[in-house]
Amino acid sequence: MVTIRDIARQAGVSVATVSRTLSEPDAVRAETRARVQEAVAAMNYTPNAIARQLRRQRKETIIVIVPDISNPFFSGIVKGIENLAHDMGYRVLLGETQGKQERLDYYADLVLTRIADGLILLGSLLPTMVQASVAAGQAPSIPLVLACERFDGLQCPTVGIDNVAAARMAVMHLVQRGCSKIATITGPADNSLSLDRAQGYREVLAAAGLPIDGAMMGEGDFTIESGFAAMNLLLDKGLGVDGVFCANDEMAIGAQQAVLSRGLRVPQDVAVIGFDDIRFGAFAYPPLSTIRQPVGDLGEAAMRALDEVLHKKPTEQQSVILPHELVVRGSTA
Amino acid sequence: MVTIRDIARQAGVSVATVSRTLSEPDAVRAETRARVQEAVAAMNYTPNAIARQLRRQRKETIIVIVPDISNPFFSGIVKGIENLAHDMGYRVLLGETQGKQERLDYYADLVLTRIADGLILLGSLLPTMVQASVAAGQAPSIPLVLACERFDGLQCPTVGIDNVAAARMAVMHLVQRGCSKIATITGPADNSLSLDRAQGYREVLAAAGLPIDGAMMGEGDFTIESGFAAMNLLLDKGLGVDGVFCANDEMAIGAQQAVLSRGLRVPQDVAVIGFDDIRFGAFAYPPLSTIRQPVGDLGEAAMRALDEVLHKKPTEQQSVILPHELVVRGSTA
DNA sequence: CTGAAAGCGCTAACAT
DNA sequence: ATGTTAGCGCTTTCAG
């Protein structure tokens, strides 16, 4: 393996000069620089980044933790993070937890072991060490940013949208369309997103003078399959559902299939609206109405927030709320 | 920052003993070990993995490069890699190229700079340095495994399925179903997967005594949108297409929508079959028939192959071919 | 079983 | 402008 010493010897200079040529070329006389660069090329030298990291004490690597990479919503955010991270000179390590606490802790440990500088967390699980901080009422012990859920009592920057308002917008759309028996399929009950979206649902029903009925509220786990199952349950009750607000697009796609599989029509018999605007929604049958989240921007904002945490910049705002948008397609129109 | 020296001092032993306690506890007397562990706990010490990597010259980190994370096919493979990597003690850095050579080279450089040990490559682009090796007729200069495409002339392990045979199976299914005007929508022409799948298509038509007509072969880029567009083009020609084989599921979903949007029925008027069996296919309308690739196994096989390369084990076989499977759903039945 | 000491490859004072 | 040198935090001979 060729090291900086080999280059130094070859070019007839000191290792310091080689190091300078590589990191601040202007600090070296042109002629010397040329000799060094020649040696570098000749010997096919690439600096050892691990050694550099050890010396500099900066890793310029961040971890992004997602529950499930194959979820287009998460991967959209990751894409936003990646783009900006790259420009800002960070590497990104992507960790998938598949909902397992053990996996999550494993990835969070990478910042303890100095592999990475900080963490961006998507999803509803918190690393054990962070839970401990929350319990103790203190700030998390590692640089951390939350990129879609919020956790009360966790002192760290959070980026997201106003889920209550967004849910309101979705349900309002159903009301305006003339639906009066509006059901909802929520995510898991321990999830802040689920809670907020269910809250928006209730607020609109109340404001519209419609009854709020627990029997009209199904629960899924954000997968297509769970949306399909939950919708079937809802339909089985024979309550005359004529519209359904699903807490994400995947469940909405499942719900649509459930409706269609009973010979009912979407949207004539049951209007369906989802949440997220994933890529497949527009090509579902019928094309899915939804709330669009600015996934790319969410990712970038999270990256920016983490960068600020890492540089201990005055944390201007603990949370950034990005705008959402109603997208009307065939499933409600 | 607490280091190994702090622990040594606290426990009244040498740093060597601390190091041993941590990596080979049995080599230390029980009593000493206890003292060290106590100090570790008391001072909340976590070893610096960067320093360890520098010393040990092993990173135990691999890079997985994908063109697009939000493609469920790739993310399925990544999931397989991740699972096994974790068990084998590797970290995985995930890089998304978005089709950009520059991004690809950036990630490939991470093994040159000793951030990572090796590379698993999905997609059809090759790092510049690897292209150079191919051109020079020599083995790639970095540990490398290909996980879905093959490249003639590249001497490295490759895992995948038999794409020609799989395509044959798909088209054969269409033939057996009674289709006689079978079109295909291929991927980009510079892609080995596209080529192989188109090849299978032709072979079946030839064997069935059906004419092979360039006008029946559309080209997409593996996105839903391109499938939609390509199918419309095909339909515009008025050739009486009654079946279409798409080189992946996303294009098939787009193609289905194109058919439906013209008031034609799937599968009665046009039967549609895709490739990959992504999660959304089963919930498309109608549910999509397809060829299932064992994505998880593909990922695991790739990880295993890379591990062998990294340990310079006798490379038993340059390539592993995994079995595929026909999945019949509503779009052809 | 434990300790001393020599680095891994690089950067950053500090000299010259 | 360049060189010398002391580490970054850890592992690993080699002695004892």
Side-chain angles (χ1 to χ4, degrees):
Chain A
M1 176 187 295
V2 24
T3 76
I4 202 172
R5 313 184 81 89
D6 300 318
I7 302 302
R9 197 173 314 123
Q10 171 90 359
V13 299
S14 73
V15 293
T17 300
V18 177
S19 177
R20 284 192 201 98
T21 307
L22 265 29
S23 43
E24 32 171 358
D26 295 333
V28 172
R29 192 154 48 104
E31 192 201 334
T32 322
R33 197 193 313 148
R35 275 222 311 289
V36 172
Q37 286 166 341
E38 204 171 314
V40 166
M43 308 189 71
N44 215 297
Y45 168 71
T46 319
N48 183 322
I50 295 290
R52 173 180 292 169
Q53 287 175 11
L54 177 59
R55 183 56 230 235
R56 283 202 184 148
Q57 302 287 46
R58 297 183 54 228
K59 275 66 63 175
E60 290 165 340
T61 299
I62 62 153
I63 319 260
V64 178
I65 299 186
V66 307
D68 174 17
I69 352 179
S70 72
N71 181 316
F73 173 64
F74 293 130
S75 51
I77 295 184
V78 171
K79 198 174 288 197
I81 295 173
E82 279 245 336
N83 285 336
L84 191 56
H86 192 255
D87 293 345
M88 297 178 88
Y90 289 101
R91 276 174 289 278
V92 4
L93 253 166
L94 186 72
E96 183 184 47
T97 63
Q98 296 174 8
K100 297 177 193 139
Q101 183 75 41
E102 174 236 331
R103 280 285 191 104
L104 176 56
D105 288 337
Y106 166 80
Y107 286 113
D109 277 350
L110 296 182
V111 1
L112 255 26
T113 56
R114 325 308 194 287
I115 296 284
D117 300 300
L119 202 65
I120 295 178
L121 202 54
L122 319 196
S124 55
L125 248 50
L126 246 33
T128 306
M129 86 179 86
V130 175
Q131 288 174 19
S133 306
V134 175
Q138 49 200 24
S141 49
I142 58 175
L144 175 69
V145 166
L146 259 36
C148 69
E149 312 246 350
R150 65 182 163 67
F151 285 92
D152 299 320
L154 214 198
Q155 301 161 37
C156 85
T158 301
V159 320
I161 63 167
D162 182 338
N163 283 283
V164 181
R168 257 192 258 122
M169 185 182 258
V171 180
M172 187 81 78
H173 171 64
L174 255 20
V175 170
Q176 285 170 347
R177 204 197 155 281
C179 300
S180 61
K181 303 271 196 182
I182 303 176
T184 185
I185 298 178
T186 68
D190 61 352
N191 178 295
S192 75
L193 297 180
S194 299
L195 265 25
D196 288 352
R197 294 177 192 172
Q199 172 67 13
Y201 164 81
R202 281 195 218 88
E203 287 180 13
V204 171
L205 291 204
L210 295 170
I212 295 174
D213 180 359
M216 295 287 267
M217 303 182 65
E219 179 177 326
D221 62 5
F222 291 134
T223 62
I224 301 185
E225 290 76 6
S226 74
F228 186 82
M231 190 70 213
N232 272 323
L233 250 37
L234 247 16
L235 258 17
D236 283 342
K237 296 179 186 162
L239 300 170
V241 171
D242 60 4
V244 59
F245 163 56
C246 301
N248 79 344
D249 282 350
E250 306 208 18
M251 294 197 295
I253 289 172
Q256 269 191 172
Q257 291 308 313
V259 173
L260 296 174
S261 71
R262 297 184 167 228
L264 296 170
R265 293 161 307 165
V266 176
Q268 295 87 338
D269 299 314
V270 183
V272 178
I273 187 164
F275 203 110
D276 287 348
D277 194 27
I278 64 172
R279 211 150 44 83
F280 291 91
F283 288 88
Y285 181 81
L288 190 64
S289 292
T290 191
I291 296 291
R292 174 177 301 152
Q293 298 205 57
V295 282
D297 299 340
L298 246 21
E300 293 192 5
M303 184 63 244
R304 211 169 285 122
L306 183 56
D307 184 59
E308 284 173 12
V309 173
L310 291 175
H311 290 100
K312 306 241 186 331
K313 290 193 192 141
T315 321
E316 298 139 28
Q317 38 192 357
Q318 271 296 70
S319 71
V320 359
I321 306 290
L322 263 28
H324 56 268
E325 186 184 344
L326 174 68
V327 179
V328 177
R329 300 206 183 91
S331 71
T332 62
Chain B
M1 175 187 294
V2 25
T3 75
I4 201 172
R5 314 184 80 89
D6 301 318
I7 302 302
R9 198 173 314 122
Q10 171 90 358
V13 299
S14 73
V15 296
T17 300
V18 178
S19 176
R20 283 191 202 99
T21 307
L22 265 30
S23 42
E24 33 170 359
D26 297 331
V28 172
R29 193 156 46 104
E31 192 203 333
T32 321
R33 197 194 312 149
R35 276 223 309 290
V36 171
Q37 286 166 339
E38 205 172 314
V40 166
M43 308 191 69
N44 214 296
Y45 167 71
T46 321
N48 184 322
I50 295 291
R52 172 181 293 169
Q53 286 175 11
L54 177 60
R55 182 56 231 237
R56 284 201 182 148
Q57 303 287 45
R58 296 181 53 227
K59 275 68 61 176
E60 292 166 338
T61 300
I62 63 152
I63 320 261
V64 177
I65 298 184
V66 308
D68 175 17
I69 351 179
S70 73
N71 180 317
F73 173 63
F74 293 130
S75 50
I77 296 183
V78 171
K79 198 175 290 197
I81 295 173
E82 279 244 337
N83 285 337
L84 192 55
H86 192 254
D87 294 344
M88 297 177 88
Y90 289 100
R91 276 175 290 277
V92 6
L93 252 167
L94 185 72
E96 182 184 46
T97 63
Q98 296 173 8
K100 296 178 194 139
Q101 183 75 41
E102 173 237 332
R103 280 287 191 101
L104 176 56
D105 288 337
Y106 166 80
Y107 286 113
D109 276 349
L110 296 182
V111 359
L112 254 27
T113 57
R114 327 303 196 288
I115 296 284
D117 300 302
L119 202 65
I120 295 179
L121 202 55
L122 319 196
S124 57
L125 248 50
L126 247 32
T128 306
M129 85 178 86
V130 175
Q131 287 173 20
S133 305
V134 176
Q138 50 201 23
S141 49
I142 58 175
L144 175 70
V145 166
L146 260 34
C148 69
E149 312 247 346
R150 64 181 165 67
F151 285 92
D152 298 321
L154 212 198
Q155 301 161 37
C156 84
T158 301
V159 321
I161 63 165
D162 183 338
N163 283 283
V164 181
R168 255 192 260 122
M169 185 181 258
V171 180
M172 188 81 78
H173 171 63
L174 256 19
V175 171
Q176 285 170 346
R177 202 195 156 283
C179 301
S180 61
K181 303 272 196 180
I182 302 176
T184 185
I185 298 178
T186 68
D190 60 352
N191 178 295
S192 75
L193 298 180
S194 299
L195 265 26
D196 287 352
R197 293 175 193 174
Q199 171 67 14
Y201 164 82
R202 282 196 216 87
E203 288 180 13
V204 171
L205 292 203
L210 296 170
I212 295 173
D213 179 358
M216 295 287 269
M217 304 182 64
E219 180 177 325
D221 62 5
F222 291 134
T223 63
I224 301 184
E225 290 77 5
S226 74
F228 186 82
M231 190 69 212
N232 272 323
L233 249 39
L234 246 18
L235 257 17
D236 283 342
K237 295 178 186 162
L239 300 169
V241 172
D242 60 4
V244 59
F245 163 56
C246 301
N248 79 343
D249 283 349
E250 307 208 16
M251 295 197 295
I253 289 171
Q256 269 191 173
Q257 292 308 312
V259 173
L260 296 174
S261 71
R262 298 185 165 225
L264 296 171
R265 294 161 305 166
V266 176
Q268 295 86 340
D269 299 313
V270 183
V272 178
I273 187 164
F275 204 110
D276 287 347
D277 193 28
I278 64 173
R279 210 150 42 83
F280 291 91
F283 288 88
Y285 182 82
L288 191 65
S289 292
T290 191
I291 297 291
R292 173 176 302 152
Q293 298 206 55
V295 282
D297 299 342
L298 246 20
E300 293 191 6
M303 183 65 245
R304 211 169 285 121
L306 182 57
D307 184 60
E308 284 173 10
V309 172
L310 291 175
H311 290 100
K312 306 244 184 334
K313 288 191 193 142
T315 321
E316 297 141 27
Q317 36 193 358
Q318 270 298 67
S319 70
V320 1
I321 305 289
L322 263 28
H324 55 269
E325 186 184 344
L326 174 68
V327 178
V328 177
R329 300 206 184 91
S331 71
T332 60

